[in-house]
Amino acid sequence: MNIDLDVVDAASLPALAALAQLYQYDFSEIEGGVTGTDGRYRYLDDLDSRLSQPGATAWLFRVVDPQLNVETLAGFALVLPITDSSGDRAIDEFFVLRKYRRLGVGRAAATAILRGTPGRWIVQGTRHNAVARAFWRAVARDVADGGVQSAENPDVTYPAWGFLFRTT
């Protein structure tokens, strides 16, 4: 499946915010998130401030739906600079709509982002998200120039896994 990546700008920020609600809905199954009284999840309400950080970028993933033959959004990625190191980046959030999972959309998007922005990267996630861990382990191995370092954060509040690697 062909995928196009569009950098999020002011005009496409509402689309990113809408997809972020779906992302949080999916993630609530893993982490137990809840909505406010208005029915909205709050975790990503700070998209503007995240994207205003120097070096922050978000992408929307577009595909042509194979069943309907129409172009549609299939997901997003949010990349942030790592504040304690010069030039290093982190995949902060990454989401593919359920309909487009296991069709190569996520792998194509992740590969394009990581290879299109050479440097040191970290991807991480909650220990409860085993599917994401397997996905990112495979992607990191495919794109890394050299080895992939695994990291564990045993924090009781947010136990996490991570992968550190470099792309060229």
Side-chain angles (χ1 to χ4, degrees), residues 1 7 32-33 36 52 55 64 84 86 95-96 105 114 132-133 146 159 164:
M1 176 175 289
V7 174
S52 68
V64 173
D84 62 349
S86 176
F95 174 66
V96 175
V105 171
L114 294 167
R133 184 180 193 160
L164 295 92

Side-chain angles (χ1 to χ4, degrees), residues 69 115 120 122 136 147 149 166 168:
N69 199 32
R115 287 194 173 142
R120 286 177 26 110
I122 183 168
W136 285 110
Q149 180 183 357
R166 177 178 294 282
T168 54

Side-chain angles (χ1 to χ4, degrees), residues 17 26 43 48 64 77 81 85 94 115 117 136 152:
D26 274 8
Y43 173 64
D48 287 328
V64 173
S85 63
F94 190 89
R115 287 194 173 142
T117 313
W136 285 110
E152 295 286 330

Side-chain angles (χ1 to χ4, degrees), residues 15-135:
L16 174 62
L19 287 173
Q21 287 293 307
L22 298 173
Y23 167 70
Q24 291 170 101
Y25 170 75
D26 274 8
F27 208 69
S28 71
E29 187 174 48
I30 297 168
E31 288 296 310
V34 297
T35 63
T37 57
D38 62 355
R40 290 180 38 82
Y41 291 93
R42 296 287 176 234
Y43 173 64
L44 288 177
D45 274 356
D46 64 344
L47 284 171
D48 287 328
S49 65
R50 287 191 191 193
L51 289 173
S52 68
Q53 296 178 41
T57 309
W59 286 270
L60 294 174
F61 314 156
R62 283 185 298 111
V63 299
V64 173
D65 184 281
Q67 295 170 324
L68 303 174
N69 199 32
V70 296
E71 188 173 80
T72 186
L73 292 176
F76 72 88
L78 176 59
V79 171
L80 297 179
I82 299 174
T83 56
D84 62 349
S85 63
S86 176
D88 295 355
R89 294 171 194 84
I91 301 284
D92 191 58
E93 310 293 348
F94 190 89
F95 174 66
V96 175
L97 288 166
R98 287 179 187 242
K99 181 175 185 175
Y100 302 109
R101 293 180 190 164
R102 294 176 177 59
L103 298 177
V105 171
R107 183 176 289 268
T111 299
I113 291 166
L114 294 167
R115 287 194 173 142
T117 313
R120 286 177 26 110
W121 285 91
I122 183 168
V123 293
Q124 57 189 1
T126 176
R127 193 167 298 141
H128 304 115
N129 196 344
V131 172
R133 184 180 193 160
F135 170 82

